[in-house]
Amino acid sequence: MGNRDNIKLLVLDIDGTIAGSSNQVRQPVIEAIAQVQDRGILVTVATGRMFCSALRFYEAIGGSLPLICYNGALIQDPKTNEVHQHFPVPIPLASQILDVLEQSPYRNKITIHFYIDDCLYVGDMGEDTRKYLERTSAPVKVVANLRELLSVEPTKILALSENLDLIDELAADLCVTFTQDQLHFTKSTPTFFEITHPQANKGLAVQYLAETLLGLKAENVMAIGDNFNDLEMLKYAGIGIAMGNAPVAVQKIANWIAPSIEEDGVVTALTKFLVTDH
């Protein structure tokens, strides 16, 4: 584990880390982050969410750096709107993904979300999408055929289903069909299978932010997350902390495990590592 005296940058996931079932950042979390910032440590967010959907959380914690969204496919500064990096899914690969999803056993059983220019595009407004919109308040457009969109590269593609076996089957299928050099696959929840450009993951995004934009090293970074889309970020950071609600495989690679989101585990982690004098 890195030395906590070296930490100059704190990177926080949103869902399951700083926002739980209430879909808000609770006051104790906001206050703990403010104490960290008072010590001169920079803070930002790294999330699978869209830029527009992540913004209120970034503002709630007083973020001061570019925001990492879409699991690292987009790094954009909320204050200037400058785009530092954008790694969308190439059009031919997006078309191939649709080929897979339109075949049995997935056709009409898995919901497909396309994200283009920070807007969500769907083929129909099903229950999975309604639940998603309740939590994210994303701008949405329904189109007759998602293939009509493929004149533009999507920032991210999301496959959703409450059928976890079907999601696992899709994951296995896509991992056989595509190489790691072509696409990056991850899950932010058991029902969300996320597809991005191979250079789009939170680990590479945090590395770019720390090393290229801020001139820091991995040992200067502390990251906190709760799911598989946080793995690369937790591995990169000098101190990588998993939430108590994280899957066991994520907890295993972490340097330390915080209490769960509903126990405000981030407050415990920040108090232990960055706020308490030692």
Side-chain angles (χ1 to χ4, degrees):
M1 192 191 304
N3 185 334
R4 53 187 173 177
D5 292 327
N6 292 335
I7 300 301
K8 295 181 171 63
L9 170 63
L10 171 65
V11 184
L12 299 161
D13 169 54
I14 294 177
D15 294 284
T17 301
I18 61 169
S21 56
S22 70
N23 203 24
Q24 305 288 336
V25 187
R26 283 166 36 86
Q27 195 59 34
V29 177
I30 291 172
E31 290 170 6
I33 293 168
Q35 286 182 284
V36 168
Q37 289 166 317
D38 287 345
R39 295 192 163 219
I41 295 169
L42 299 169
V43 179
T44 197
V45 159
T47 178
R49 285 187 183 236
M50 305 163 73
F51 179 81
C52 60
S53 176
L55 213 46
R56 68 180 176 90
F57 299 93
Y58 174 93
E59 290 168 351
I61 66 165
S64 57
L65 295 170
L67 190 158
I68 297 167
C69 46
Y70 295 102
N71 289 329
L74 178 67
I75 304 176
Q76 186 171 348
D77 192 324
K79 293 180 173 56
T80 64
N81 278 328
E82 179 185 355
V83 173
H84 289 274
Q85 281 194 336
H86 185 211
F87 293 120
V89 176
I91 289 168
L93 293 178
S95 179
Q96 284 179 260
I97 289 162
L98 283 180
D99 290 343
V100 173
L101 288 166
E102 287 171 358
Q103 293 169 8
S104 179
Y106 310 118
R107 187 177 181 83
N108 300 326
K109 292 183 179 176
I110 286 188
T111 302
I112 309 165
H113 286 183
F114 265 41
Y115 301 85
I116 297 172
D117 294 332
D118 213 32
C119 182
L120 168 61
Y121 291 84
V122 295
D124 62 80
M125 191 63 72
E127 187 59 29
D128 285 341
T129 299
R130 290 184 200 283
K131 283 184 185 175
Y132 177 89
L133 293 173
E134 276 177 23
R135 188 159 182 92
T136 64
S137 305
V140 62
K141 293 181 182 176
V142 180
V143 295
N145 186 345
L146 289 172
R147 289 188 185 278
E148 296 171 8
L149 303 170
L150 289 180
S151 59
V152 182
E153 296 176 320
T155 301
K156 186 178 84 169
I157 299 171
L158 175 63
L160 298 82
S161 176
E162 296 289 326
N163 184 333
L164 303 188
D165 290 337
L166 198 59
I167 287 285
D168 287 343
E169 190 176 334
L170 173 65
D173 256 8
L174 292 178
C175 286
V176 169
T177 308
F178 300 96
T179 67
Q180 290 181 327
D181 292 337
Q182 290 178 298
L183 292 166
H184 182 262
F185 303 127
T186 191
K187 288 182 187 176
S188 56
T189 78
T191 59
F192 285 14
F193 187 72
E194 315 215 9
I195 303 164
T196 54
H197 185 283
Q199 287 177 267
N201 69 63
K202 292 188 187 183
L204 290 175
V206 172
Q207 181 178 12
Y208 171 82
L209 183 65
E211 298 179 16
T212 303
L213 294 186
L214 299 173
L216 302 175
K217 298 177 181 176
E219 67 195 44
N220 303 128
V221 180
M222 180 164 138
I224 310 179
D226 78 301
N227 225 304
F228 291 103
N229 61 329
D230 298 309
L231 276 173
E232 292 92 349
M233 172 174 82
L234 299 183
K235 286 177 181 175
Y236 169 75
I239 300 176
I241 293 176
M243 298 294 287
N245 44 283
V248 172
V250 177
Q251 293 188 16
K252 279 184 176 176
I253 64 96
N255 298 120
W256 193 73
I257 299 164
S260 74
I261 174 67
E262 303 304 339
E263 299 170 274
D264 291 333
V266 164
V267 175
T268 305
L270 298 185
T271 302
K272 176 179 173 63
F273 286 95
L274 300 181
V275 175
T276 305
D277 289 316
H278 53 276

